[in-house]
């Protein structure tokens, strides 16, 4: 029996940033959420270049949250004339929003017209909040969003897929330690295709150690906005 699902509660910091009372951390800053997703996750994984002229490309994300990373990736894929034939985006989320809170948080934070235009399509297709796998298809099934409502710690070891890019987007490691453990990175390594890349906004020491332990090589690069550094890299087991 899967654990009963506890949905996310929507809350906002005084500056308007959507915030999780459960984890005591923000989902995204209220300014530049799309630019942050473009910089940290797309550019951090060499996208759009890496998906160009390929039959398909698969992203695996830890923490779907508001789906800003998904919407930003989908918008970039749509805008790219050399895009892959198909885009698969797989994301694991332990505490999903309900559709109306998804709409609310998008309205409060998305500051890019092409990304905002996709928000209602996602919200209209949003599944019931039941644990397990929900497959959503868009753009004549060329884009597939596999939403897995459950705990990444128990879900990732059960998956069968080949990932080209990992988006590591849990809350800050100090507040959400279970998404940054050596065991979790080992699960990701098992799901990596040859040449798989990752990126994450954090450069915390325990994340660097867990990445190395699981066979990922990392590089520290300048972070987005006020963040001094973030990590990008590849799965390169010895
Ligand atoms: C920073 S937010 C993600 C933001 C998101 N990627 C976006 O683009 O809007 C982190 C997310 O990780 C989820 N999370 C935390 N622990 C988790 C776990 N063990 N398994 C799956 N999701 C988890 C939280 O519920 C939260 O939605």
């Amino acid at each position: 029996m899967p654990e009963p699902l506890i949905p996310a509660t929507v809350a906002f910091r005084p500056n308007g940033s959507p915030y999780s009372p459960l984890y005591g951390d923000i989902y995204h800053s209220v300014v530049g959420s799309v630019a942050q997703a473009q910089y940290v996750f797309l550019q951090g994984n060499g996208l759009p270049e890496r998906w160009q002229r390929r039959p398909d490309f698969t992203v695996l994300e830890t923490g779907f949250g508001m789906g800003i990373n998904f919407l930003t990736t989908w918008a970039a894929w749509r805008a790219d004339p050399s895009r892959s034939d198909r885009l698969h985006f797989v994301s694991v989320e332990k505490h999903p929003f309900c559709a109306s809170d998804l709409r609310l948080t998008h309205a409060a934070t998305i500051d890019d017209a092409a990304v905002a235009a996709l928000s209602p399509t996602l919200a209209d297709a949003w599944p019931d909040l039941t644990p397990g796998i929900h497959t959503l298809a868009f753009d004549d099934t060329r884009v597939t969003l596999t939403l897995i409502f459950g705990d990444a710690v128990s879900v990732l070891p059960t998956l069968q897929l080949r990932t080209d890019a990992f988006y590591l987007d849990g809350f800050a490691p100090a507040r959400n330690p279970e998404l940054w453990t050596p065991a979790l990175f080992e699960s990701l390594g098992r799901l990596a295709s040859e040449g798989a890349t990752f990126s994450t906004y954090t450069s915390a020491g325990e994340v660097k150690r867990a990445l190395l332990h699981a066979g990922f090589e990392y590089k520290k690069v300048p972070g987005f906005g006020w963040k001094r550094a973030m990590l990008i890299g590849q799965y390169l087991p010895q």
Side-chain angles (χ1 to χ4, degrees):
M1 265 297 264
E3 298 273 304
L5 209 143
I6 301 170
T9 317
V10 70
F12 292 93
R13 283 257 165 90
N15 70 359
S17 297
Y19 153 83
S20 164
L22 194 60
Y23 290 94
D25 201 359
I26 58 166
Y27 284 91
H28 268 281
S29 56
V30 71
V31 180
S33 61
V34 171
Q36 182 179 22
Q38 283 164 340
Y39 178 81
V40 176
F41 294 105
L42 282 141
Q43 196 177 315
N45 280 287
L47 299 173
E49 293 78 10
R50 283 185 57 237
W51 66 39
Q52 288 177 345
R53 291 170 285 280
R54 289 183 46 158
D56 48 50
F57 193 87
T58 300
V59 176
L60 173 58
E61 177 182 59
T62 49
F64 188 80
M66 300 160 51
I68 301 288
N69 293 340
F70 166 65
L71 293 175
T72 303
T73 302
W74 181 14
W77 179 88
R78 277 187 149 194
D80 181 2
S82 303
R83 60 186 172 267
S84 52
D85 292 339
R86 288 171 192 280
L87 173 68
H88 303 291
F89 196 103
V90 181
S91 188
V92 189
E93 176 54 59
K94 188 173 177 184
H95 302 292
F97 282 111
C98 64
S100 57
D101 286 346
L102 203 64
R103 288 179 207 274
L104 195 67
T105 57
H106 287 178
T109 50
I110 297 179
D111 51 5
D112 175 282
V115 174
L118 298 172
S119 159
T121 312
L122 175 63
D124 288 348
W126 196 245
D128 290 340
L129 300 192
T130 52
I133 299 180
H134 303 269
T135 306
L136 280 52
F138 304 107
D139 287 351
D140 293 327
T141 71
R142 287 182 69 191
V143 175
T144 312
L145 170 62
T146 303
L147 275 172
I148 308 172
F149 291 161
D151 188 335
V153 174
S154 49
V155 163
L156 291 174
T158 68
L159 297 183
Q160 297 292 338
L161 64 118
R162 283 282 159 257
T163 304
D164 299 301
F166 294 101
Y167 290 9
L168 308 178
D169 200 20
F171 286 122
R175 297 176 187 273
N176 194 187
E178 80 265 19
L179 270 189
W180 306 97
T181 63
L184 190 120
F185 286 112
E186 275 170 32
S187 291
L188 297 179
R190 190 183 63 80
L191 301 172
S193 69
E194 208 184 319
T197 58
F198 78 86
S199 67
T200 178
Y201 66 87
T202 182
S203 62
E206 67 266 38
V207 174
K208 292 193 268 194
R209 286 187 289 278
L211 281 162
L212 289 180
H213 174 86
F216 288 88
E217 291 197 345
Y218 69 80
K219 196 160 88 174
K220 213 162 139 176
V221 296
F224 180 81
W226 58 268
K227 280 223 138 245
R228 249 197 353 197
M230 57 172 257
L231 302 175
I232 62 172
Q234 257 191 304
Y235 183 62
L236 284 174
Q238 296 307 310

